[in-house]
Amino acid sequence: MSFYRGRNHEIPALNTASLPDLIFSILFFFMLVVHMRKTTVHVKYQVPTATELSRLVNKSSVQYIYVGYPMNEKGEAISKNIVIQLNDKITTIPAIKNYLLHLSASLPPEDRKALSVSIKADRRADMGTILDIKQMLREANVLNVNFSATMSHSIKY
Amino acid sequence: MMFRQRERRKVPGLNTTSTADISFMLLILFLVASSMDLDKGIARQLPPMEKEQKQQTAVDGRKVIRLAIDANNKVTMDGKNVSMKDIRQRTEQFVNANGKSHLIQLQTDRKASYDTYLHVQNALVAAYNAVRNSKASDLFGKSFDLCSTEQQQQIADEVPIRVSEVYAVSANKPTTTEKGGAE
């Protein structure tokens, strides 16, 4: 009787001493792999697919232009009209030129050459909008453009 | 004597139970505040404003491909309907045959969709990449991406990307010409 009682008493506690180390290693992994979000996107867009993709180089000098449908906080499209967002606010096409001209005037010449624009446009956008944006970029003398797209494995030539 | 001995033995361990919670919170903060999207896309070079009219004169009429995308997203090459596959293959043959002196003219209607436009661009880039890769393996025995910067420059000089885009900027302005993607 006393033998059984003695055995029931001691259930060893789970040793969680190495749990923090485990979580920390996951944390460090994420810190290395991801990059921080700088802007809130107010535009709903789905980029087209393509196969011949290249990476964006020199990310610190990239300006982002989003083209798509305006959306609310829940992420639902609220209008059928195409809007344009430059970095963090929604603008109009002529305002892009002024913004880029101001920006490149404030940069030293070597950074000015590296200045580039990534256009993240919805696949249903009309070419009129895109052509107007391209024309504004030319007028602002920002000539490196990257049309954002996702890799497609179904396109075969 | 007895009293002192007992005191020396008891050093309590540091309680680290909550370290896991703290690091979990840091982890969740990073998951929420960051994004993992890989920025990839088709890189193009726009032509500078002042050099608009120059390159038109030097090109022979037989060495030009005229691509057009109309308002219903139909793609035509020299007046005939073509698929993306045709564009890629014919552009590749054409660039191989004509070398530096070729020109591809791309005319896009303002009502065409961006998706179609980017697919045409993609087909053109694919054709150029194929030509450059075969050139690179002939000259240096490796693909274009693996060549050094000088070797890439040499190939880019021999196979320049000559795509000119003609479009009406808006309804009341005259058309302008754009020569794209000479990197």
Side-chain angles (χ1 to χ4, degrees):
Chain A
M1 198 58 183
S2 67
F3 177 70
Y4 277 112
R5 209 192 298 158
R7 234 172 44 165
N8 278 350
H9 265 307
E10 302 217 352
I11 300 166
L14 189 66
N15 189 2
T16 55
S18 58
L19 187 62
D21 304 353
L22 209 75
I23 312 292
F24 265 121
S25 55
I26 302 174
L27 177 65
F28 289 143
F29 169 75
F30 269 95
M31 285 171 76
L32 291 178
V33 166
V34 300
H35 63 269
M36 299 303 268
R37 274 186 207 157
K38 282 182 200 146
T39 57
T40 317
V41 180
H42 304 290
V43 158
K44 197 178 177 72
Y45 65 94
Q46 194 184 7
V47 293
T49 56
T51 54
E52 309 299 317
L53 302 179
S54 51
R55 269 178 184 280
L56 269 179
V57 285
N58 202 353
K59 278 202 177 162
S60 56
S61 58
V62 175
Q63 308 298 314
Y64 293 91
I65 295 177
Y66 304 88
V67 182
Y69 305 105
M71 68 177 179
N72 57 12
E73 290 81 30
K74 289 177 196 157
E76 297 155 341
I78 50 175
S79 164
K80 284 277 171 202
N81 299 324
I82 296 277
V83 291
I84 294 150
Q85 179 182 346
L86 174 62
N87 284 343
D88 51 1
K89 24 177 212 296
I90 288 177
T91 53
T92 55
I93 292 174
I96 293 174
K97 181 186 166 188
N98 290 331
Y99 177 86
L100 289 174
L101 282 175
H102 275 115
L103 185 78
S104 62
S106 66
L107 290 174
E110 57 269 26
D111 287 354
R112 209 172 294 163
K113 245 179 235 166
L115 197 64
S116 63
V117 169
S118 169
I119 297 179
K120 293 170 184 284
D122 191 275
R123 56 179 71 168
R124 289 157 294 178
D126 64 310
M127 272 314 288
T129 315
I130 307 290
L131 294 176
D132 288 345
I133 293 172
K134 283 171 79 175
Q135 190 62 23
M136 283 302 136
L137 295 180
R138 290 179 63 198
E139 283 174 23
N141 207 22
V142 179
L143 302 176
N144 297 314
V145 181
N146 192 302
F147 295 102
S148 195
T150 51
M151 191 67 188
S152 162
H153 298 286
S154 56
I155 300 175
K156 290 275 187 300
Y157 294 117
Chain B
M1 197 60 184
M2 189 72 174
F3 180 71
R4 214 193 268 173
Q5 214 172 17
R6 195 189 295 159
E7 209 184 34
R8 207 189 292 151
R9 232 188 292 143
K10 285 209 170 179
V11 179
L14 190 65
N15 189 0
T16 54
T17 326
S18 57
T19 324
D21 303 350
I22 295 167
S23 42
F24 256 126
M25 268 198 290
L26 283 174
L27 178 64
I28 289 164
L29 175 86
F30 265 88
L31 285 178
V32 170
S34 60
S35 63
M36 225 163 142
D37 64 343
L38 301 161
D39 275 328
K40 278 185 165 184
I42 297 179
R44 307 297 293 157
Q45 187 93 28
L46 300 180
M49 270 313 249
E50 59 276 6
K51 288 180 189 165
E52 274 171 24
Q53 307 298 336
K54 267 188 185 169
Q55 38 96 35
Q56 282 286 353
T57 50
V59 180
D60 184 350
R62 282 166 299 179
K63 292 182 174 175
V64 179
I65 285 186
R66 284 189 183 78
L67 279 168
I69 307 170
D70 71 5
N72 300 320
N73 295 323
K74 283 224 180 65
V75 186
T76 53
M77 181 187 268
D78 295 329
K80 278 169 272 178
N81 279 339
V82 282
S83 68
M84 295 297 155
K85 201 175 171 180
D86 296 334
I87 294 176
R88 188 209 178 277
Q89 284 170 350
R90 288 173 61 177
T91 308
E92 195 182 330
Q93 286 168 6
F94 186 77
V95 173
N96 263 328
N98 293 314
K100 279 183 204 175
S101 56
H102 74 280
L103 181 70
I104 293 166
Q105 217 170 58
L106 176 59
Q107 183 155 14
T108 318
D109 192 279
R110 290 181 65 86
K111 290 195 189 69
S113 89
Y114 175 61
D115 199 32
T116 317
Y117 171 78
L118 208 71
H119 276 114
V120 173
Q121 287 278 17
N122 188 48
L124 292 179
V125 175
Y128 277 112
N129 282 348
V131 176
R132 285 185 171 184
N133 270 332
S134 68
K135 199 108 196 163
S137 61
D138 285 352
L139 288 175
F140 308 112
K142 49 192 169 183
S143 73
F144 184 69
D145 288 334
L146 297 175
C147 288
S148 69
T149 318
E150 295 83 45
Q151 290 170 336
Q152 286 190 351
Q153 190 58 48
Q154 189 189 332
I155 293 165
D157 286 342
E158 281 178 47
V159 189
I161 292 181
R162 287 166 65 90
V163 180
S164 113
E165 292 189 32
V166 190
Y167 54 83
V169 170
S170 61
N172 51 3
K173 281 189 199 166
T175 59
T176 55
T177 306
E178 171 184 324
K179 179 176 165 297
E183 76 252 47

